[in-house]
Each structure stands twice: as structure tokens, then as C-alpha cells.
Amino acid sequence: MRKTWMKIMCLFMVISLCTGCASGEKNDKKKDSLKIGVTVYNQYDTFISSVMEEVLLKAQMKEEELGIKISLDVVNAGGSQWEQNNQVEDFVEEDYDVIFVNLVDRTDPSFIIEEAKSAGIPVLFFNRELVDEDLERWSGLYYVGAVTVEPAIMQGQIVIDAYRQNSQMDKNGDGILQYVMLEGEAGHQDSIVRTEQSVATIENAGIQLEKLDYGIANWDRSQAQTKMLEIYRKHGDAIELIIANNDDMALGAIDALESLGVQREQWPVIVGIDGTNVGIDAVKNGKMIGTVYNDAKGQAQALIDVACTLFLGKEVEEKYFRLPHNIITSENVEEYQ
Ligand code: GAL
């Protein structure tokens, strides 16, 4: 049953960059063909999809650069750690060279670590960060992600700059910004840090904030829309600022305002994180005051670079690869389109 599911998923999402690998080449294959298995926590997550698109592009470029074949099989864990464990077990049984894991539950990587370690197959965890102690359990484990606190500080900075340029953001003129926080998954390192540090950054700049409400929307646009509809019905025009842990949730808030028919001049200021294509469009058309670019391209490049380095039998000394962010506002949005 599990195998069948895996086959279906492979048919659905197999992206084989390897055109010339004939069967029966098993013995030679290791020398010139790198087989990477990838499991993602949720294939419908907009940011994760953008990382996967970039991984494919970087792999294609690397094939040309190194003259090797790279095949990537991407499967969706659909939010189940059990399913993801089975997927990794299958990758191990099928003798993949490297496995990329976007953990479903960042606190539960033990099965994957033990499976990979016993087979000697390196694992590159990405985006959903396991604790240091887990990553230290074997030398063949790596993490590729972002500098965790940076986007929160940059998001705070976007609000600070906007407020200094336009005090009308404080719609009722009471000297306090009344805000709503839209949070990603509970327990995710990015939700925790972004929720705390964006607010701390704004307050440290001397701007007073008052939290009117919050909603946990699990990075998801339609969940955020639902939460925002409830929140807006409660607080209406009193909301002056919406801080979202990612762009998709900021866009869900925009969907809610639009579906309620709130006039644009009454909208609270909205800020996101990720710099996905849809997020960038919202900055371009003025629906969001800004976002923070979460470097999907850089993370994809690091994944492919490390996989190839290991495949070529070279040593990788670092265990962590963290990519920096950039602020995107109306001033520089053209550069990102
Ligand atoms: C975050 C990203 C979110 C979501 C999440 C999934 O880094 O900002 O949009 O993709 O990862 O783990």
C-alpha cells in the first residue's frame, strides 16, 4: 500500500533530469549519476514550491557544470510524519545517494536519522529546523535554511519606516498602533521567532503597539482569510496594522478585506515575509507595504551544492547553511519581479 502510494506520488511529481540512464547500469551509475530523494511537508505551501522549482533549476545547471546526471524524485508527505518516515525508508531501500528532508514535525526526526545513518546516506534537512542535538547525532546530517531572526527584524523595520513616513497609519491618532498578528504553525521555529521579534523591533524603535487579536493560520492563505474575517468582524476599522508571519497569510488577510468590501483607504497597513511571486505582486500594487525576501534561490543552490560535493566524495565541513534575507518595498520591488 505504502509502495503504491509512493509510486503514485512519484508519477505525480517525479521530475527526472536524467535522460540517459539506462537500466542495468547500476554499477556504473554511482560514478556519473546522482539520485536525490526529496520529501516535503506539504507540496501546496507556496514558499516550499518555490524552493522546489529553484532546486530543479539549480540541478539542471549543475548537471551541465559537472557533466553528471542528476535525478530528483520529489514526494509530498501531506502533513504526516509517519508518511514521511515511510518515504525516507523507501529512498533508503532504493539506494538513493542523498536525501533532502523538509520535516513535517521538526521535533521528530529520529526515525529518519537512524534509517539514513544505518545506510550511510547523507540527509540535508531544509526549512524546518530540527534541534542542534539531533543534527549532531551523525556527521552525515546537514541543515539548509534561513537566518531565523533576520526576517522578523526586517519586517519590523518596514513598519518603522512606513510609520515614520506616514503617521496616518495611526488611523485614530492615539499614538498607538493597534495590530493583529497572523501566525504560522505553532511550534515552527519561524512562527515563534517572527511573532516575537517583529513586535520587539517596532517597540524598541519607540513605537507603541497594542495587540488587538491574533490568528494561527498555519502559513495558509485560505485559513488566514477565514481568521481575518472573524477578526475584522470583531475589531473592524480599529485595526491599523496586520503583521503576517508569511506572504500567503498576508494575502489571506487581503482576500478577507476585499471580500468584506472594505474601502482601500480604510485598510490597515499589511506586511508579510517570503517575497514569493504573489507577495511581490501585492507589494507592487500597493496592497502590502512590504515583505522580506526569503532566499529560495540561495537555499536551493546550497542544497544542490552540498549534495554534489558529497556525491563527489569531498568533505563538507559546515553542518548549517543559512541564507540571508532582504527587505522588499515599493522602492525596490522592480528588482525582484
Ligand atoms: C517558512 C516560510 C513559510 C512556510 C514555512 C514552511 O520559512 O516563510 O511561508 O513556507 O517556512 O515551513
Side-chain angles (χ1 to χ4, degrees):
M1 167 97 174
R2 181 158 49 78
K3 289 257 179 198
T4 315
W5 188 90
M6 170 95 176
K7 293 238 163 63
I8 294 166
M9 283 317 299
C10 283
L11 274 176
F12 183 19
M13 269 197 92
V14 149
I15 302 110
S16 179
L17 302 171
C18 168
T19 45
C21 307
S23 55
E25 289 181 353
K26 179 93 178 151
N27 291 337
D28 294 333
K29 207 171 82 179
K30 286 256 174 212
K31 292 185 201 123
D32 65 355
S33 170
L34 163 59
K35 200 162 90 163
I36 306 175
V38 187
T39 162
V40 296
Y41 91 103
N42 169 13
Q43 73 180 59
Y44 301 107
D45 179 299
T46 308
F47 175 70
I48 296 301
S49 308
S50 66
V51 174
M52 291 326 302
E53 274 170 33
E54 291 296 333
V55 162
L56 298 176
L57 288 174
K58 304 298 179 200
Q60 261 165 349
M61 287 158 73
K62 208 64 173 180
E63 279 192 316
E64 282 163 31
E65 185 191 320
L66 299 177
I68 58 171
K69 289 166 190 129
I70 304 177
S71 64
L72 277 155
D73 293 338
V74 185
V75 292
N76 178 23
S80 160
Q81 189 57 60
W82 178 84
E83 192 57 64
Q84 187 164 64
N85 292 349
N86 291 335
Q87 291 168 342
V88 170
E89 196 175 22
D90 287 337
F91 287 147
V92 168
E93 272 170 24
E94 289 166 28
D95 204 18
Y96 278 70
D97 299 296
V98 180
I99 304 173
F100 295 171
V101 178
N102 178 223
L103 275 170
V104 174
D105 180 350
R106 56 186 281 265
T107 65
D108 190 14
S110 294
F111 178 88
I112 291 175
I113 293 175
E114 290 313 318
E115 275 290 301
K117 186 177 168 187
S118 59
I121 301 173
V123 177
L124 277 60
F125 292 97
F126 68 102
N127 167 265
R128 297 163 72 88
E129 187 170 350
L130 56 175
V131 295
D132 293 356
E133 293 74 22
D134 283 330
L135 203 78
E136 292 308 327
R137 279 161 63 174
W138 179 45
S139 58
L141 307 175
Y142 304 87
Y143 177 73
V144 174
V147 183
T148 319
V149 72
E150 194 179 55
I153 294 171
M154 289 182 170
Q155 190 179 43
Q157 195 58 49
I158 293 171
V159 174
I160 296 165
D161 293 345
Y163 186 61
R164 290 193 176 140
Q165 279 163 24
N166 174 21
S167 59
Q168 302 293 312
M169 251 175 87
D170 177 14
K171 292 191 280 182
N172 63 2
D174 66 352
I176 304 169
L177 285 180
Q178 277 77 25
Y179 77 98
V180 167
M181 179 69 72
L182 289 174
E183 299 181 20
E185 291 161 274
H188 190 301
Q189 81 279 349
D190 289 336
S191 319
I192 299 166
V193 172
R194 291 175 190 179
T195 299
E196 282 171 12
Q197 295 301 317
S198 54
V199 167
T201 304
I202 301 167
E203 287 179 330
N204 289 342
I207 298 171
Q208 266 188 277
L209 292 176
E210 179 189 349
K211 188 173 191 168
L212 290 183
D213 218 328
Y214 76 100
I216 296 177
N218 300 307
W219 311 117
D220 182 81
R221 182 168 179 161
S222 61
Q223 288 186 40
Q225 179 180 11
T226 308
K227 294 277 172 190
M228 202 56 220
L229 285 171
E230 284 164 26
I231 293 172
Y232 197 87
R233 285 194 184 109
K234 258 197 269 171
H235 303 282
D237 201 27
I239 307 167
E240 294 171 334
L241 170 65
I242 299 173
I243 305 175
N245 284 173
N246 77 343
D247 285 352
D248 262 19
M249 295 189 295
L251 290 159
I254 291 171
D255 295 339
L257 296 174
E258 287 179 339
S259 70
L260 287 166
V262 181
Q263 293 299 304
R264 195 68 180 267
E265 41 311 339
Q266 292 302 116
W267 281 24
V269 158
I270 303 167
V271 61
I273 290 179
D274 272 346
T276 53
N277 291 339
V278 273
I280 288 170
D281 285 347
V283 175
K284 178 97 201 303
N285 62 32
K287 293 183 177 178
M288 270 162 59
I289 52 158
T291 181
V292 179
Y293 184 65
N294 191 356
D295 191 356
K297 289 188 199 328
Q299 292 172 37
Q301 186 71 64
L303 285 165
I304 292 298
D305 284 351
V306 174
C308 289
T309 307
L310 293 167
F311 177 70
L312 296 174
K314 297 186 192 150
E315 211 167 306
V316 176
E317 279 171 22
E318 301 291 314
K319 303 259 302 167
Y320 285 90
F321 297 84
R322 292 188 190 278
L323 278 292
H325 298 79
N326 289 304
I327 286 179
I328 306 177
T329 62
S330 57
E331 281 171 29
N332 64 347
V333 67
E334 307 288 344
E335 291 166 32
Y336 286 87
Q337 280 205 305

